[in-house]
Amino acid sequence: MRLVFVGLGKMGRSILRGVLDKGFLAPEEVGVLGRSPERTRELAQAFGIQPVRPEDLARAERVLIAVQPRDFPALAPLIAHPLTGYLSIMAGVSTGVLTRRLGTRRVVRAMPNLAAEIGESSTALFGPKEAEEAGDLDFARALFATVGDVYEIPERLFDAFTGMSASAPAYLAVVAEALADGGVRMGIPRALALKLAADALAATGELLKRTHPGRLKDEVASPGGTTIHGLFALEARGVRAAFMEAVERATLRGQALGEEE
């Protein structure tokens, strides 16, 4: 078996769909280990992949750990095999912790975001030289490319990447909801306001791939116009500082999760 998913929540399912839909792996090459035998069978049937028991993991080429960080200490002894490669999408769990608990340096740390669901994730990757030499890092690059773009970054930036990129869909969802609420306040029907907010964020994302955000802002904000007055209100409420603090708080929480290990 080429890859076993340990845990299969929302993010794990998005990655699994990308892997299967893009033909990176065939269903018979993929297994799943759930929190119980019943859950394992249920997930395997739902996705047409193989049910796996903890003792079967010794025969797996690689294991993708997709559980909550708090569950990892108890899980690690059950899944640790020195000849297996491991990929982790657990926030805050360093390669040092993975190595210590799994008994191998063949570990790759990855951090995708919710956009994996639509093949538009930004995924950070890091692995030590042992993972590079064993081909685990190459495997991870190809695997996560099935759900979006892949960025290899130093591990010291992982918590910041998590606090910014991995958390960004939640931040921007709040922006969309607030924009819609503003439209409703001014008389736009709720359904239309939500659609307009979603369209605006999607289109702006595409524009930002082509130009600097400051330039885009200046192009929309004409002298004495409506937009500059709206921007003044945002600045008065400290919107920039709020977003910067959100990234900082999320980064610090990622660091704290790592310290709990």
Side-chain angles (χ1 to χ4, degrees), residues 55-230:
E55 55 266 35
D56 297 329
L57 291 178
R59 296 186 289 106
E61 289 182 18
R62 294 179 177 88
V63 170
L64 193 154
I65 306 171
V67 301
Q68 293 296 321
R70 64 177 177 270
D71 297 328
F72 180 58
L75 175 69
L78 303 177
I79 66 172
H81 297 282
L83 300 181
T84 301
Y86 294 87
L87 287 66
S88 166
I89 60 171
M90 296 181 290
V93 182
S94 69
T95 56
V97 170
L98 292 168
T99 294
R100 186 174 73 251
R101 292 198 177 274
L102 296 171
T104 178
R105 291 278 293 169
R106 286 186 56 192
V107 295
V108 176
R109 188 176 174 187
M111 181 49 59
N113 66 25
L114 188 62
E117 197 170 303
I118 57 170
E120 294 289 342
S121 176
S122 294
T123 301
L125 279 187
F126 174 80
K129 66 178 182 179
E130 290 84 353
E132 179 77 66
E133 291 168 353
D136 301 317
L137 205 49
D138 283 339
F139 182 88
R141 290 185 193 107
L143 185 151
F144 288 102
T146 67
V147 292
D149 295 328
V150 176
Y151 301 90
E152 291 185 55
I153 64 173
E155 189 170 21
R156 62 183 173 78
L157 296 180
F158 249 73
D159 292 322
F161 185 96
T162 302
M164 179 189 168
S165 180
S167 300
Y171 305 154
L172 296 178
V174 171
V175 170
E177 189 176 42
L179 280 173
D181 285 345
V184 171
R185 187 182 183 204
M186 293 296 102
I188 298 175
R190 170 69 63 182
L192 176 58
L194 288 168
K195 177 66 164 57
L196 292 172
D199 288 348
L201 262 67
T204 302
E206 289 301 314
L207 289 169
L208 286 171
K209 293 178 181 179
R210 308 176 190 178
T211 188
H212 188 278
R215 178 175 296 178
L216 177 58
K217 170 186 67 69
D218 289 348
E219 288 177 352
V220 181
S222 56
T226 57
T227 303
I228 195 64
H229 281 75

